[in-house]
Amino acid sequence: MLGTECGACFNAVPSNSFLNGPIEKEIVQKVRQRRAPRPKMDPNEKEENPDDLRKMEKTGNELSATEEHLQVIARTLKRRCTAPGEGDDRRKKKVKKVCAVKFLVNPQSFTQTVENIFHYSYLVRSGKAAIAVDKKTGLPTVKPKDLQAGTPTPRQAILAFNMSDWRKLTREFGVDKGDIPHRKTPAT
């Protein structure tokens, strides 16, 4: 019984009472500001653009950091791999192989080890250096290469190398000091 009496209240259609009277709002006219015309440029005046990056003119004496590091690696490799000849032929240099891990790994910096490997790959690609696996030990070796031999056939390989691999290499090969000098990082 209570439900029937209350049901009449819920079945009622709502009245249209939400707009009682006119909307009383004054219309405000927007005042448009006149734009000042752009100042005319003097045809003799040069435009300045601070965001424009200008390339520095490179003189013959300046090298990029990468080129400089490539030269350091090449010089270090030649110095490390050449030994004076034996006997009467002391002027002739004997080229020997060097363990790639001890040559390329920097025990102080994982980042510089990765850069050393990356930059050494440039020397291999240009034919100035070689990398091979020693038949006796099975370890990778590096040595300088003569440019007279011609440019090598380009071959590429992808090397997976992470920080734990770097730590294992430095520990197991006993690398205390790398052959390639440690570079100081600029303070930021």
Side-chain angles (χ1 to χ4, degrees):
M1 185 167 207
L2 182 62
T4 334
E5 290 178 17
C6 288
C9 295
F10 292 110
N11 286 335
V13 177
S15 64
N16 199 1
S17 62
F18 58 90
L19 280 179
N20 286 335
I23 300 176
E24 295 181 18
K25 186 172 180 183
E26 295 180 21
I27 299 174
V28 179
Q29 288 285 353
K30 289 185 180 179
V31 179
R32 291 195 173 203
Q33 293 181 354
R34 286 182 103 24
R35 285 183 29 190
R38 285 188 179 180
K40 302 229 178 197
M41 276 187 59
D42 184 16
N44 298 331
E45 187 178 342
K46 188 176 181 181
E47 228 178 271
E48 289 184 24
N49 191 354
D51 296 332
D52 186 21
L53 298 175
R54 297 181 187 143
K55 288 187 176 180
M56 292 176 48
E57 290 185 23
K58 197 173 180 183
T59 63
N61 302 351
E62 297 174 7
L63 293 175
S64 71
T66 303
E67 292 169 333
E68 191 175 312
H69 190 241
L70 284 172
Q71 287 183 353
V72 168
I73 291 175
R75 279 194 310 264
T76 307
L77 182 65
K78 282 182 185 175
R79 185 179 65 241
R80 182 87 163 73
C81 291
T82 53
E86 297 175 11
D88 297 334
D89 242 351
R90 296 232 181 245
R91 290 180 308 222
K92 288 190 177 179
K93 302 284 184 182
K94 183 179 178 186
V95 177
K96 63 178 184 173
K97 299 176 193 173
V98 177
C99 176
V101 175
K102 290 184 178 182
F103 181 75
L104 296 172
V105 171
N106 182 344
Q108 297 174 14
S109 171
F110 168 71
T111 307
Q112 288 188 18
T113 299
V114 172
E115 287 176 357
N116 291 345
I117 294 169
F118 184 68
H119 291 152
Y120 188 78
S121 72
Y122 278 102
L123 293 175
V124 171
R125 186 185 70 183
S126 65
K128 296 178 183 175
I131 187 163
V133 177
D134 191 344
K135 293 177 183 175
K136 293 178 186 174
T137 61
L139 297 174
T141 58
V142 294
K143 68 176 186 174
K145 199 171 174 188
D146 290 334
L147 287 176
Q148 300 161 353
T151 56
T153 308
R155 293 188 321 189
Q156 294 180 347
I158 296 174
L159 175 69
F161 190 67
N162 56 30
M163 194 171 273
S164 64
D165 294 338
W166 170 71
R167 286 187 183 122
K168 287 178 190 174
L169 283 173
T170 55
R171 185 177 50 248
E172 292 184 18
F173 280 85
V175 181
D176 296 329
K177 184 176 184 257
D179 287 342
I180 300 170
H182 181 75
R183 297 175 303 285
K184 302 276 189 241
T185 55
T188 54

